[in-house]
Amino acid sequence: MERDRDQMRWEDLTSGEIDKFDRTTPVVLNIAAIEQHGPHLPVNTDALIGGLFMDELGKSLGDAVLILPQVKVCCSAHHMDYPGTLSVRHETLIAYVGDILDSVAAHGFRNIVIVNSHGGNKAVGQVILEKFGAAHRDCRVVFLTWWTMAGKELAAIRESGFGGVGHACEFETAVLMHGVPECVRTDLIAGLSYVPTYSWANSDMLSAGRASLYRSMREISGGSGVVGDASLASADKGKAITDVVVGQLSEIVSSLRNAPPAR
């Protein structure tokens, strides 16, 4: 079977093929989630979205990038009220992802990008970045969350008002309508779902609160499991979101390849 040269997946290559890569080649790891996404999206939504972005990044950059196996089960304790959610402790994820990245660094690769596709990973991802970066001063390591990275461009695409993008929302539903349409239960899509709280803590994907307040997904969604307005999703919007995110991601990843060595 002929290997697709546009999909530079670490696990699809032989040891010898990986060894031929220049060690400045950026290595990308997607961390995602397996958690409930309301009645209309599957529990692997964040993994599907992250996988779609990795596929498109591979097509865009070819052998100028290496893509690691996804870490699908991450930190989703705030979704555990809902059946199907899988979660690990923050300490577990820090250790597990750190061990993976230690292996990458041991093989001589020095440019590493962690791409996050799950809100519950944002804080722990920053800890992984700081912990690994301090231990590997000769590496350049980046952590990003897709909707934060492309926030300005995504704001121009959204149609909903505040609260319309959050979880199983206008954005996530649209991306899957574009990339994996068969997984979307379109007959179960409802309108806006968001339970407000203190004015200083209200937030959505593109609008941070002035301070953080812990609330479970049941509290934020009023029990629906959805935060946002999935009724505004469409396949065309999903393509626009994907194009914007992959374009921004490709720019960041490519910039690392020709950067001066890390110190």
Side-chain angles (χ1 to χ4, degrees), residues 168-185:
C169 59
E170 177 185 359
F171 282 178
E172 291 190 325
T173 304
V175 172
L176 291 190
M177 283 180 167
H178 162 61
V180 198
E182 64 274 14
C183 81
V184 182
R185 284 70 163 173

Side-chain angles (χ1 to χ4, degrees), residues 78-79 81-82 163 166-167 192-197 201-204 213-228:
H78 54 302
H79 287 270
D81 288 329
Y82 297 89
H167 179 75
L192 179 64
S193 175
Y194 177 76
V195 178
T197 183
N202 282 321
S203 64
D204 69 10
L213 174 71
Y214 179 81
R215 293 197 290 164
S216 70
M217 186 52 59
R218 183 175 291 280
E219 291 176 280
I220 301 170
S221 68
S224 72
V226 175
V227 178

Side-chain angles (χ1 to χ4, degrees), residues 45-82:
T45 289
D46 291 342
L48 287 172
I49 290 173
L52 174 64
F53 293 159
M54 294 300 98
D55 285 346
E56 294 302 313
L57 179 68
K59 292 175 184 177
S60 173
L61 298 184
D63 61 5
V65 66
L66 273 169
I67 299 171
L68 291 166
Q70 278 183 305
V71 177
K72 291 186 177 182
V73 179
C74 294
C75 298
S76 300
H78 54 302
H79 287 270
M80 286 300 295
D81 288 329
Y82 297 89

Side-chain angles (χ1 to χ4, degrees), residues 21-212:
F21 275 81
D22 190 294
R23 292 324 194 248
T24 64
T25 303
V27 179
V28 180
L29 173 68
N30 172 227
I31 58 174
I34 302 294
E35 62 180 20
Q36 74 80 30
H37 272 77
H40 66 285
L41 296 180
V43 296
N44 67 339
T45 289
D46 291 342
L48 287 172
I49 290 173
L52 174 64
F53 293 159
M54 294 300 98
D55 285 346
E56 294 302 313
L57 179 68
K59 292 175 184 177
S60 173
L61 298 184
D63 61 5
V65 66
L66 273 169
I67 299 171
L68 291 166
Q70 278 183 305
V71 177
K72 291 186 177 182
V73 179
C74 294
C75 298
S76 300
H78 54 302
H79 287 270
M80 286 300 295
D81 288 329
Y82 297 89
T85 298
L86 302 176
S87 187
V88 300
R89 293 179 298 117
H90 292 92
E91 296 85 354
T92 302
L93 189 67
I94 291 168
Y96 186 67
V97 172
D99 285 351
I100 293 171
L101 300 187
D102 283 343
S103 298
V104 172
H107 294 306
F109 292 93
R110 291 294 176 261
N111 291 318
I112 297 170
V113 182
I114 306 168
V115 177
N116 175 37
S117 55
H118 166 55
N121 294 335
K122 290 182 73 175
V124 70
Q126 186 67 28
V127 173
I128 293 168
L129 171 77
E130 295 180 16
K131 185 177 177 66
F132 180 84
H136 295 272
R137 297 292 297 275
D138 58 338
C139 290
R140 186 176 286 103
V141 58
V142 177
F143 172 75
L144 62 89
T145 297
W146 67 262
W147 58 88
T148 303
M149 173 193 65
K152 180 179 178 181
E153 293 76 13
L154 293 172
I157 294 172
R158 77 182 290 178
E159 295 180 80
S160 61
F162 176 81
V165 290
H167 179 75
C169 59
E170 177 185 359
F171 282 178
E172 291 190 325
T173 304
V175 172
L176 291 190
M177 283 180 167
H178 162 61
V180 198
E182 64 274 14
C183 81
V184 182
R185 284 70 163 173
T186 54
D187 58 320
L188 298 177
I189 291 176
L192 179 64
S193 175
Y194 177 76
V195 178
T197 183
Y198 300 101
S199 61
W200 47 263
N202 282 321
S203 64
D204 69 10
M205 267 184 168
L206 302 185
S207 304
R210 288 181 288 144
S212 297

